[in-house]
Structure formats: C-alpha cells, structure tokens
Amino acid sequence: MKKPVRIAPSILSADFANLGAEVRAIEAAGADLVHFDVMDNHFVPNLTIGPLVCEAIRPHVSIPIDVHLMVEPVDALIPMFAKAGANIITFHPEASRHIDRTLSLIKDNGCMAGLVLNPATPIECLNHVLDKLDLVLLMSVNPGFGGQSFIPSTLPKLRQVRALIDAHVQNGGQDIWLEVDGGVKTDNIAEIARAGADTFVAGSAVFGAKDADGGYKGIIEQLKAQAATIG
Ligand code: DX5
Ligand code: ZN
C-alpha cells in the first residue's frame, strides 16, 4: 500500500495581515492541513495566536486545522479550540500533569488527539497511551520559532517511532499518523519520509515560496513529489 503524504503548512510564516487569503491560497494549492502554532511565552519563548484566530480562519478553509499547542497549562484551551473549529489538537507531555486525561479531553471534544515530542523528549512517554493517539508529532527543531534548521538526530528517532506504530498496528491497534515539524524543506523531505513520517509541517518552505515560480502550488507539489520518492 502506498504511504500517504500530507503537507501541513504552518501559518506561523504566513502574512498575518492577510490570513484569510493565505489559508485559502494554501488549500487551493493542495495543502492537506492548516498547521496552527499556539505559543504562550511561558512553555516557549514566543507569543502567537489563539482560539479567536482559529475561529476567524475556519470559514475560509475546508481542510482540517491542526492545532499545535505550545502552552502550559493545556486543558482549559482544548474546549475553546474545539469550539473554534480545530480538527486536530496536539500538546507536549511536559505541559500536562495528566497526559491520559488531556488526551481524553481532546477526543471528548471531537478532535483527533496527539502528543508532541521535543527533540530531547524520550519516546517512552508514548508507551502507555498508544491506544489513545491519533497522531504523534515529532519536533525536528526546538519549538518556538519558524525558520530553524532540521536537527539530524530526529531521523533515528523517527525510525524508532515508525517501528513502534507499525508494531502497534500489527497487533490490531489503530493507525497513528506520524508528523514531523521544523526545518522541513524540498531537499530533506525525502529522507524524512524514508525514516517513516507521513505528515509534514512546512512553514518557511511553503510561505517563503509565495513569489517563487509556481508559488504555493509549485512548492507543495515539489514537497509531495520528493516525499513520494522514498523507494
Ligand atoms: C516551531 C513550530 C513549527 C514551525 C515550522 O515551534 O512548531 O510549526 O513554524 O516552521 P519551519 O517549517 O519554518 O521550520
Ligand atoms: Zn508546529
């Protein structure tokens, strides 16, 4: 079976003065998800957008909104984002005292639920909650900013998580998406796909291509084509 390739442009690198037009443009260009980075200047040293902005962009796209919470505490924001139209909500295990409870809260609010692992967060924290996960998001940069370089030690970690998910599915468990976030570009996405990712966040790569030949459509096509060459 051919592995899916999903491209999730991070609107962190979009033109915030024209967000409605930006998300419409990436959907028209073939984006599979809108990646929505929420930072609180506490869990990470940056401050971005919240449920009001999610609600504002919701009518502009029909693709799922993938909310990446870099906030602490997490739980109070979950019903707010679900109400604002989020489809996927992920959080960092360090930011919740009760990881299992937070995952249930996301699912009870009708969203897909996932854990985000920082570059140095061990994959063992997935062990006891695999049954509840719809996706795992592996950070390939330290969270907080767009435009950073991909950290190479993410690749062996990706392979390990891929093996964990495959074994889980083989034992009758549900499928779990494997998403990578940070420094994904046309020249490394094939390698990242080969290591096991199926969902790729790309912020500066996508939005930086606005004025390039082919624009958003061109870059998203290139990313998908490269990711598909995993042979
Ligand atoms: C970093 C964010 C990422 C980031 C990706 O904390 O979670 O989603 O915006 O941006 P690029 O693709 O530019 O590394
Ligand atoms: Zn993100």
mmCIF file of all heavy atoms in Angstrom, residues 44-80:
data_model
loop_
_atom_site.group_PDB
_atom_site.id
_atom_site.type_symbol
_atom_site.label_atom_id
_atom_site.label_comp_id
_atom_site.label_asym_id
_atom_site.label_seq_id
_atom_site.Cartn_x
_atom_site.Cartn_y
_atom_site.Cartn_z
ATOM 1 N N VAL A 44 7.007 28.155 25.702
ATOM 2 C CA VAL A 44 8.042 28.512 24.711
ATOM 3 C C VAL A 44 8.230 30.027 24.724
ATOM 4 O O VAL A 44 7.297 30.756 25.071
ATOM 5 C CB VAL A 44 7.677 28.054 23.270
ATOM 6 C CG1 VAL A 44 7.745 26.555 23.120
ATOM 7 C CG2 VAL A 44 6.304 28.568 22.855
ATOM 8 N N PRO A 45 9.415 30.489 24.336
ATOM 9 C CA PRO A 45 9.690 31.931 24.432
ATOM 10 C C PRO A 45 9.179 32.722 23.229
ATOM 11 O O PRO A 45 9.929 33.434 22.561
ATOM 12 C CB PRO A 45 11.227 31.976 24.519
ATOM 13 C CG PRO A 45 11.670 30.759 23.766
ATOM 14 C CD PRO A 45 10.604 29.710 23.958
ATOM 15 N N ASN A 46 7.901 32.586 22.941
ATOM 16 C CA ASN A 46 7.300 33.356 21.849
ATOM 17 C C ASN A 46 5.796 33.396 22.098
ATOM 18 O O ASN A 46 5.257 32.577 22.856
ATOM 19 C CB ASN A 46 7.625 32.698 20.499
ATOM 20 C CG ASN A 46 7.483 33.654 19.332
ATOM 21 O OD1 ASN A 46 7.084 34.815 19.501
ATOM 22 N ND2 ASN A 46 7.790 33.177 18.137
ATOM 23 N N LEU A 47 5.135 34.327 21.472
ATOM 24 C CA LEU A 47 3.701 34.546 21.698
ATOM 25 C C LEU A 47 3.019 34.648 20.346
ATOM 26 O O LEU A 47 3.433 35.454 19.503
ATOM 27 C CB LEU A 47 3.538 35.860 22.471
ATOM 28 C CG LEU A 47 2.148 36.254 22.928
ATOM 29 C CD1 LEU A 47 1.606 35.266 23.949
ATOM 30 C CD2 LEU A 47 2.205 37.648 23.551
ATOM 31 N N THR A 48 1.999 33.782 20.127
ATOM 32 C CA THR A 48 1.374 33.822 18.791
ATOM 33 C C THR A 48 -0.137 33.983 18.868
ATOM 34 O O THR A 48 -0.607 35.008 19.358
ATOM 35 C CB THR A 48 1.766 32.579 17.958
ATOM 36 O OG1 THR A 48 1.334 31.402 18.641
ATOM 37 C CG2 THR A 48 3.256 32.522 17.697
ATOM 38 N N ILE A 49 -0.854 32.959 18.415
ATOM 39 C CA ILE A 49 -2.287 33.121 18.157
ATOM 40 C C ILE A 49 -3.110 32.123 18.973
ATOM 41 O O ILE A 49 -2.604 31.092 19.393
ATOM 42 C CB ILE A 49 -2.579 32.933 16.647
ATOM 43 C CG1 ILE A 49 -1.827 31.701 16.100
ATOM 44 C CG2 ILE A 49 -2.210 34.182 15.868
ATOM 45 C CD1 ILE A 49 -2.021 31.414 14.624
ATOM 46 N N GLY A 50 -4.396 32.450 19.163
ATOM 47 C CA GLY A 50 -5.260 31.616 19.986
ATOM 48 C C GLY A 50 -6.570 31.266 19.296
ATOM 49 O O GLY A 50 -6.701 31.405 18.072
ATOM 50 N N PRO A 51 -7.565 30.814 20.095
ATOM 51 C CA PRO A 51 -8.841 30.346 19.535
ATOM 52 C C PRO A 51 -9.575 31.382 18.677
ATOM 53 O O PRO A 51 -10.233 31.016 17.708
ATOM 54 C CB PRO A 51 -9.668 30.006 20.779
ATOM 55 C CG PRO A 51 -8.694 29.842 21.879
ATOM 56 C CD PRO A 51 -7.497 30.649 21.559
ATOM 57 N N LEU A 52 -9.443 32.663 19.013
ATOM 58 C CA LEU A 52 -10.146 33.688 18.217
ATOM 59 C C LEU A 52 -9.685 33.669 16.768
ATOM 60 O O LEU A 52 -10.482 33.815 15.841
ATOM 61 C CB LEU A 52 -9.863 35.080 18.792
ATOM 62 C CG LEU A 52 -10.712 35.530 19.967
ATOM 63 C CD1 LEU A 52 -10.245 36.903 20.442
ATOM 64 C CD2 LEU A 52 -12.183 35.575 19.574
ATOM 65 N N VAL A 53 -8.383 33.478 16.586
ATOM 66 C CA VAL A 53 -7.840 33.461 15.218
ATOM 67 C C VAL A 53 -8.236 32.164 14.510
ATOM 68 O O VAL A 53 -8.534 32.159 13.317
ATOM 69 C CB VAL A 53 -6.301 33.671 15.233
ATOM 70 C CG1 VAL A 53 -5.716 33.569 13.830
ATOM 71 C CG2 VAL A 53 -5.961 35.020 15.850
ATOM 72 N N CYS A 54 -8.286 31.074 15.271
ATOM 73 C CA CYS A 54 -8.730 29.798 14.695
ATOM 74 C C CYS A 54 -10.164 29.947 14.186
ATOM 75 O O CYS A 54 -10.500 29.573 13.053
ATOM 76 C CB CYS A 54 -8.629 28.713 15.767
ATOM 77 S SG CYS A 54 -8.997 27.067 15.177
ATOM 78 N N GLU A 55 -11.001 30.540 15.005
ATOM 79 C CA GLU A 55 -12.401 30.760 14.621
ATOM 80 C C GLU A 55 -12.502 31.669 13.390
ATOM 81 O O GLU A 55 -13.351 31.464 12.524
ATOM 82 C CB GLU A 55 -13.121 31.397 15.813
ATOM 83 C CG GLU A 55 -14.610 31.367 15.707
ATOM 84 C CD GLU A 55 -15.268 32.026 16.932
ATOM 85 O OE1 GLU A 55 -14.573 32.336 17.933
ATOM 86 O OE2 GLU A 55 -16.487 32.234 16.867
ATOM 87 N N ALA A 56 -11.614 32.631 13.325
ATOM 88 C CA ALA A 56 -11.656 33.579 12.199
ATOM 89 C C ALA A 56 -11.263 32.928 10.870
ATOM 90 O O ALA A 56 -11.812 33.258 9.824
ATOM 91 C CB ALA A 56 -10.743 34.770 12.496
ATOM 92 N N ILE A 57 -10.310 31.985 10.911
ATOM 93 C CA ILE A 57 -9.901 31.373 9.633
ATOM 94 C C ILE A 57 -10.797 30.190 9.256
ATOM 95 O O ILE A 57 -10.830 29.787 8.096
ATOM 96 C CB ILE A 57 -8.409 30.936 9.611
ATOM 97 C CG1 ILE A 57 -8.123 29.852 10.654
ATOM 98 C CG2 ILE A 57 -7.488 32.135 9.758
ATOM 99 C CD1 ILE A 57 -6.780 29.159 10.435
ATOM 100 N N ARG A 58 -11.506 29.630 10.244
ATOM 101 C CA ARG A 58 -12.298 28.406 9.994
ATOM 102 C C ARG A 58 -13.186 28.493 8.740
ATOM 103 O O ARG A 58 -13.195 27.577 7.918
ATOM 104 C CB ARG A 58 -13.120 28.089 11.253
ATOM 105 C CG ARG A 58 -14.000 26.849 11.211
ATOM 106 C CD ARG A 58 -13.252 25.529 11.150
ATOM 107 N NE ARG A 58 -12.769 25.145 9.854
ATOM 108 C CZ ARG A 58 -12.060 24.043 9.598
ATOM 109 N NH1 ARG A 58 -11.720 23.226 10.569
ATOM 110 N NH2 ARG A 58 -11.649 23.766 8.390
ATOM 111 N N PRO A 59 -13.957 29.585 8.547
ATOM 112 C CA PRO A 59 -14.827 29.621 7.365
ATOM 113 C C PRO A 59 -14.074 29.722 6.039
ATOM 114 O O PRO A 59 -14.669 29.541 4.986
ATOM 115 C CB PRO A 59 -15.665 30.895 7.569
ATOM 116 C CG PRO A 59 -15.358 31.405 8.908
ATOM 117 C CD PRO A 59 -14.108 30.776 9.390
ATOM 118 N N HIS A 60 -12.779 29.985 6.096
ATOM 119 C CA HIS A 60 -12.018 30.191 4.857
ATOM 120 C C HIS A 60 -11.462 28.901 4.260
ATOM 121 O O HIS A 60 -10.947 28.914 3.147
ATOM 122 C CB HIS A 60 -10.866 31.173 5.104
ATOM 123 C CG HIS A 60 -11.342 32.557 5.395
ATOM 124 N ND1 HIS A 60 -11.553 33.498 4.412
ATOM 125 C CD2 HIS A 60 -11.711 33.144 6.556
ATOM 126 C CE1 HIS A 60 -12.007 34.620 4.951
ATOM 127 N NE2 HIS A 60 -12.097 34.418 6.264
ATOM 128 N N VAL A 61 -11.497 27.810 5.034
ATOM 129 C CA VAL A 61 -10.936 26.536 4.535
ATOM 130 C C VAL A 61 -11.819 25.357 4.903
ATOM 131 O O VAL A 61 -12.523 25.377 5.922
ATOM 132 C CB VAL A 61 -9.518 26.243 5.106
ATOM 133 C CG1 VAL A 61 -8.442 27.004 4.370
ATOM 134 C CG2 VAL A 61 -9.439 26.483 6.598
ATOM 135 N N SER A 62 -11.735 24.313 4.074
ATOM 136 C CA SER A 62 -12.459 23.089 4.451
ATOM 137 C C SER A 62 -11.490 22.000 4.912
ATOM 138 O O SER A 62 -11.920 20.991 5.475
ATOM 139 C CB SER A 62 -13.334 22.602 3.302
ATOM 140 O OG SER A 62 -12.556 22.473 2.148
ATOM 141 N N ILE A 63 -10.186 22.167 4.666
ATOM 142 C CA ILE A 63 -9.219 21.176 5.159
ATOM 143 C C ILE A 63 -9.117 21.277 6.696
ATOM 144 O O ILE A 63 -9.436 22.322 7.274
ATOM 145 C CB ILE A 63 -7.812 21.358 4.517
ATOM 146 C CG1 ILE A 63 -7.320 22.805 4.636
ATOM 147 C CG2 ILE A 63 -7.807 20.894 3.077
ATOM 148 C CD1 ILE A 63 -5.896 23.033 4.108
ATOM 149 N N PRO A 64 -8.677 20.173 7.344
ATOM 150 C CA PRO A 64 -8.590 20.196 8.810
ATOM 151 C C PRO A 64 -7.589 21.227 9.348
ATOM 152 O O PRO A 64 -6.562 21.494 8.716
ATOM 153 C CB PRO A 64 -8.118 18.774 9.155
ATOM 154 C CG PRO A 64 -8.443 17.934 7.961
ATOM 155 C CD PRO A 64 -8.338 18.848 6.779
ATOM 156 N N ILE A 65 -7.913 21.796 10.491
ATOM 157 C CA ILE A 65 -6.986 22.692 11.196
ATOM 158 C C ILE A 65 -6.296 21.878 12.291
ATOM 159 O O ILE A 65 -6.940 21.254 13.141
ATOM 160 C CB ILE A 65 -7.714 23.921 11.775
ATOM 161 C CG1 ILE A 65 -8.393 24.712 10.645
ATOM 162 C CG2 ILE A 65 -6.726 24.808 12.547
ATOM 163 C CD1 ILE A 65 -9.154 25.963 11.109
ATOM 164 N N ASP A 66 -4.977 21.865 12.213
ATOM 165 C CA ASP A 66 -4.098 21.038 13.049
ATOM 166 C C ASP A 66 -3.458 21.966 14.084
ATOM 167 O O ASP A 66 -2.502 22.675 13.784
ATOM 168 C CB ASP A 66 -3.060 20.422 12.076
ATOM 169 C CG ASP A 66 -1.884 19.748 12.737
ATOM 170 O OD1 ASP A 66 -2.026 19.276 13.864
ATOM 171 O OD2 ASP A 66 -0.807 19.670 12.076
ATOM 172 N N VAL A 67 -4.034 21.966 15.293
ATOM 173 C CA VAL A 67 -3.596 22.913 16.322
ATOM 174 C C VAL A 67 -2.470 22.309 17.162
ATOM 175 O O VAL A 67 -2.663 21.270 17.811
ATOM 176 C CB VAL A 67 -4.790 23.327 17.214
ATOM 177 C CG1 VAL A 67 -4.310 24.167 18.394
ATOM 178 C CG2 VAL A 67 -5.835 24.085 16.407
ATOM 179 N N HIS A 68 -1.326 22.951 17.142
ATOM 180 C CA HIS A 68 -0.143 22.517 17.896
ATOM 181 C C HIS A 68 -0.008 23.449 19.098
ATOM 182 O O HIS A 68 0.391 24.604 18.966
ATOM 183 C CB HIS A 68 1.081 22.607 16.954
ATOM 184 C CG HIS A 68 2.387 22.352 17.635
ATOM 185 N ND1 HIS A 68 3.604 22.606 17.022
ATOM 186 C CD2 HIS A 68 2.698 21.866 18.874
ATOM 187 C CE1 HIS A 68 4.593 22.286 17.838
ATOM 188 N NE2 HIS A 68 4.069 21.845 18.974
ATOM 189 N N LEU A 69 -0.352 22.904 20.280
ATOM 190 C CA LEU A 69 -0.344 23.720 21.495
ATOM 191 C C LEU A 69 1.033 23.713 22.144
ATOM 192 O O LEU A 69 1.499 22.677 22.618
ATOM 193 C CB LEU A 69 -1.375 23.183 22.495
ATOM 194 C CG LEU A 69 -2.857 23.300 22.116
ATOM 195 C CD1 LEU A 69 -3.726 22.677 23.227
ATOM 196 C CD2 LEU A 69 -3.265 24.750 21.879
ATOM 197 N N MET A 70 1.664 24.865 22.161
ATOM 198 C CA MET A 70 2.919 25.025 22.915
ATOM 199 C C MET A 70 2.578 25.959 24.070
ATOM 200 O O MET A 70 2.982 27.134 24.107
ATOM 201 C CB MET A 70 4.002 25.615 22.002
ATOM 202 C CG MET A 70 4.505 24.621 20.972
ATOM 203 S SD MET A 70 5.305 25.404 19.550
ATOM 204 C CE MET A 70 3.889 25.715 18.518
ATOM 205 N N VAL A 71 1.754 25.431 24.987
ATOM 206 C CA VAL A 71 1.232 26.230 26.095
ATOM 207 C C VAL A 71 1.238 25.386 27.353
ATOM 208 O O VAL A 71 1.209 24.161 27.299
ATOM 209 C CB VAL A 71 -0.225 26.692 25.820
ATOM 210 C CG1 VAL A 71 -0.320 27.500 24.535
ATOM 211 C CG2 VAL A 71 -1.195 25.511 25.758
ATOM 212 N N GLU A 72 1.231 26.054 28.479
ATOM 213 C CA GLU A 72 1.168 25.378 29.772
ATOM 214 C C GLU A 72 0.458 26.299 30.769
ATOM 215 O O GLU A 72 0.912 27.438 30.939
ATOM 216 C CB GLU A 72 2.590 25.075 30.243
ATOM 217 C CG GLU A 72 2.639 24.226 31.464
ATOM 218 C CD GLU A 72 4.075 23.998 31.952
ATOM 219 O OE1 GLU A 72 5.021 24.518 31.334
ATOM 220 O OE2 GLU A 72 4.203 23.333 32.975
ATOM 221 N N PRO A 73 -0.647 25.866 31.378
ATOM 222 C CA PRO A 73 -1.301 24.568 31.231
ATOM 223 C C PRO A 73 -2.092 24.461 29.917
ATOM 224 O O PRO A 73 -2.338 25.468 29.258
ATOM 225 C CB PRO A 73 -2.244 24.511 32.436
ATOM 226 C CG PRO A 73 -2.566 25.943 32.738
ATOM 227 C CD PRO A 73 -1.339 26.731 32.359
ATOM 228 N N VAL A 74 -2.522 23.237 29.609
ATOM 229 C CA VAL A 74 -3.124 22.946 28.311
ATOM 230 C C VAL A 74 -4.653 22.872 28.367
ATOM 231 O O VAL A 74 -5.338 23.362 27.466
ATOM 232 C CB VAL A 74 -2.666 21.545 27.797
ATOM 233 C CG1 VAL A 74 -2.853 21.425 26.316
ATOM 234 C CG2 VAL A 74 -1.261 21.235 28.183
ATOM 235 N N ASP A 75 -5.179 22.197 29.402
ATOM 236 C CA ASP A 75 -6.561 21.701 29.338
ATOM 237 C C ASP A 75 -7.629 22.765 29.053
ATOM 238 O O ASP A 75 -8.544 22.522 28.267
ATOM 239 C CB ASP A 75 -6.920 20.950 30.638
ATOM 240 C CG ASP A 75 -6.167 19.629 30.752
ATOM 241 O OD1 ASP A 75 -5.287 19.362 29.908
ATOM 242 O OD2 ASP A 75 -6.454 18.870 31.695
ATOM 243 N N ALA A 76 -7.510 23.929 29.672
ATOM 244 C CA ALA A 76 -8.573 24.934 29.512
ATOM 245 C C ALA A 76 -8.734 25.368 28.058
ATOM 246 O O ALA A 76 -9.815 25.783 27.637
ATOM 247 C CB ALA A 76 -8.270 26.139 30.392
ATOM 248 N N LEU A 77 -7.665 25.275 27.282
ATOM 249 C CA LEU A 77 -7.745 25.741 25.881
ATOM 250 C C LEU A 77 -8.398 24.722 24.951
ATOM 251 O O LEU A 77 -8.804 25.063 23.841
ATOM 252 C CB LEU A 77 -6.338 26.068 25.361
ATOM 253 C CG LEU A 77 -5.746 27.393 25.838
ATOM 254 C CD1 LEU A 77 -4.308 27.529 25.335
ATOM 255 C CD2 LEU A 77 -6.576 28.570 25.339
ATOM 256 N N ILE A 78 -8.487 23.472 25.393
ATOM 257 C CA ILE A 78 -8.957 22.415 24.475
ATOM 258 C C ILE A 78 -10.412 22.611 24.033
ATOM 259 O O ILE A 78 -10.680 22.673 22.827
ATOM 260 C CB ILE A 78 -8.672 21.027 25.084
ATOM 261 C CG1 ILE A 78 -7.160 20.795 25.032
ATOM 262 C CG2 ILE A 78 -9.431 19.922 24.356
ATOM 263 C CD1 ILE A 78 -6.665 19.636 25.830
ATOM 264 N N PRO A 79 -11.358 22.778 24.979
ATOM 265 C CA PRO A 79 -12.743 23.036 24.517
ATOM 266 C C PRO A 79 -12.845 24.320 23.696
ATOM 267 O O PRO A 79 -13.639 24.406 22.768
ATOM 268 C CB PRO A 79 -13.539 23.161 25.816
ATOM 269 C CG PRO A 79 -12.661 22.667 26.899
ATOM 270 C CD PRO A 79 -11.256 22.693 26.437
ATOM 271 N N MET A 80 -12.025 25.304 24.031
ATOM 272 C CA MET A 80 -12.075 26.569 23.281
ATOM 273 C C MET A 80 -11.643 26.362 21.834
ATOM 274 O O MET A 80 -12.268 26.875 20.904
ATOM 275 C CB MET A 80 -11.180 27.612 23.964
ATOM 276 C CG MET A 80 -11.693 28.036 25.331
ATOM 277 S SD MET A 80 -10.497 29.017 26.245
ATOM 278 C CE MET A 80 -10.739 30.597 25.493
#
